């Protein structure tokens, strides 16, 4: 098992694996251990994310709080937001407010950049895993069943985004085109279009997958085994495995990536457009083809 390392600056692409003992381990993209962030609360941590200043926030599920670390890995506030029953996921909006999904009630808590309560958004089922759309008002949520719902907080209209034989759906992310990626307990990651119609199934091959987040490159996602150690980086367009490694632990419950793409625009600003939107999946292959063609033309001219 990894030992606790001293705080060090985060780098774009660093992978944050939520584990047991109230800790989060930080790795390079190739799986090299870098440091451990310790909430000091024990229990296990789950969903994590970043604000625009690069501070890291992780949900301490067992302690019903969210803990905050600065962008060097120093613990700033172990109970930055508290009193949220079984808080499991967190996402920021473009204004710096955070939304908290939890397994303990049918509501999403909205808090300020200081963790102070703003409002509770009532929904129709528990909100274990959430994400925010680019419009800043639509929240995606699920209670780890096979149905994903979304609520428009401007109108309070709550609708089914998709439902089917998808197993238990866990962490999820909006894509730029309004589509969605979600990890499933049946070992797959699914991609739907903006209408909730299934477009692609990724067979990850590492057992039940729980965690999911988008890479800063805009073309890949990360996922990992529920309560296990396997971590994979997967190409969105092709499904090819780009990175494959193990944490060496047996309690993975969440993955975050420094500079991760967020449709809601709430992620860390690394100066390269990160924290914004990911290219639409259908355009990724065309973009690669166009770049290759452009390179060929330049070579012929040379």
């Amino acid at each position: 098992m990894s030992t606790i390392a001293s705080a060090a600056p985060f780098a774009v692409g660093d992978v944050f694996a939520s584990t047991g003992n109230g800790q989060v381990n930080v790795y390079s993209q190739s799986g090299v251990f870098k440091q451990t962030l310790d909430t000091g609360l024990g229990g296990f941590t789950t969903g994590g994310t970043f604000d625009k200043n690069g501070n890291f926030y992780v949900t301490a599920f067992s302690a019903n709080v969210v803990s905050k670390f600065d962008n060097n890995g120093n613990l700033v506030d172990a109970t930055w937001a508290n009193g949220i029953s079984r808080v499991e996921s967190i996402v920021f909006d473009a204004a710096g407010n955070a939304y908290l999904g939890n397994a303990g009630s049918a509501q999403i808590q909205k808090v300020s950049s200081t963790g102070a309560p703003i409002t509770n958004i009532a929904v129709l089922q528990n909100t274990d895993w959430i994400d925010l759309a680019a419009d800043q008002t639509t929240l995606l949520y699920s209670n780890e069943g096979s149905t994903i719902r979304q609520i428009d907080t401007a109108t309070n209209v709550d609708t089914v985004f998709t439902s089917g034989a998808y197993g238990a759906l866990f962490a999820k992310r909006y894509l730029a085109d309004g589509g969605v990626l979600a990890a499933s307990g049946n070992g797959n990651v699914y991609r739907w279009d903006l209408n909730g119609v299934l477009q692609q199934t990724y067979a990850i091959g590492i057992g039940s997958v729980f965690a999911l987040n988008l890479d800063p490159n805009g073309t890949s996602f990360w996922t990992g085994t529920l309560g296990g150690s396997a971590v994979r980086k997967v190409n969105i367009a092709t499904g090819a495995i780009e990175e494959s490694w193990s944490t060496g632990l047996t309690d993975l419950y969440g993955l975050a990536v420094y500079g991760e793409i967020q449709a809601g625009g709430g992620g860390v600003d690394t100066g390269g457009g990160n924290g914004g939107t990911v290219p639409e999946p259908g355009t990724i292959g065309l973009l690669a083809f166009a770049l290759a063609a452009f390179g060929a033309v330049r070579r012929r001219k040379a």
Side-chain angles (χ1 to χ4, degrees):
M1 181 175 292
S2 302
T3 57
I4 296 178
S6 57
F10 301 155
V12 174
D14 281 352
V15 180
F16 293 64
S18 297
T19 69
N21 300 317
Q23 297 177 342
V24 178
N25 280 356
V26 184
Y27 302 87
S28 72
Q29 291 245 327
S30 60
V32 176
F33 172 74
K34 302 182 77 171
Q35 64 175 314
T36 292
L37 313 181
D38 194 345
T39 67
L41 300 173
F44 64 90
T45 54
T46 50
T49 194
F50 307 85
D51 64 18
K52 288 187 178 297
N53 295 318
N55 299 306
F56 175 64
Y57 301 76
V58 65
T59 57
F61 184 93
S62 304
N64 301 321
V65 303
V66 177
S67 297
K68 176 182 178 180
F69 296 82
D70 68 18
N71 57 11
N72 287 308
N74 299 300
L75 181 63
V76 174
D77 190 345
T79 58
W80 174 79
N82 57 73
I84 304 100
S85 177
R86 300 167 69 190
V87 60
E88 192 158 20
S89 57
I90 177 173
V91 64
F92 280 90
D93 63 19
N97 302 307
Y99 297 84
L100 310 176
N102 64 90
S105 64
Q107 60 183 359
I108 297 170
Q109 283 87 357
K110 182 179 181 179
V111 301
S112 72
S113 59
T114 65
I118 295 177
T119 189
N120 290 338
I121 303 165
V123 293
L124 298 180
Q125 60 188 30
N126 289 358
T127 60
D128 304 57
W129 292 97
I130 64 173
D131 197 17
L132 176 68
D135 63 12
Q136 303 294 295
T137 62
T138 305
L139 283 163
L140 196 74
Y141 72 96
S142 70
N143 67 348
E144 301 188 355
S146 59
T147 296
I148 298 176
R149 303 189 66 89
Q150 56 187 2
I151 183 169
D152 185 333
T153 58
T155 62
N156 289 323
V157 174
D158 193 315
T159 58
V160 171
F161 172 76
T162 194
S163 185
Y166 300 123
L169 297 171
F170 301 122
K172 56 189 65 63
R173 278 297 190 197
Y174 272 116
L175 298 172
D177 60 357
V180 170
L181 285 171
S184 172
N186 65 16
N188 296 325
V189 170
Y190 295 102
R191 179 173 68 85
W192 301 271
D193 66 14
L194 76 170
N195 297 310
V197 177
L198 183 65
Q199 299 297 302
Q200 196 164 354
T201 300
Y202 308 87
I204 307 301
I206 54 175
S208 176
V209 288
F210 189 72
L212 185 137
N213 228 312
L214 297 173
D215 190 80
N217 67 12
T219 62
S220 309
F221 67 83
W222 290 84
T223 191
T225 305
L226 171 60
S229 61
V231 176
R232 299 290 185 270
K233 180 183 180 182
V234 183
N235 185 278
I236 296 173
T238 68
I241 303 297
E242 298 178 338
E243 293 286 351
S244 174
W245 43 268
S246 171
T247 65
L249 306 172
T250 57
D251 46 10
L252 178 65
Y253 294 105
L255 287 175
V257 186
Y258 194 71
E260 66 197 32
I261 303 296
Q262 295 184 21
V268 56
D269 182 3
T270 62
N274 297 306
T277 56
V278 62
E280 296 181 13
T283 68
I284 294 172
L286 293 176
L287 176 61
F289 177 81
L291 290 173
F294 178 70
V297 170
R298 290 196 57 161
R299 287 192 297 272
R300 286 197 297 271
K301 286 184 177 180

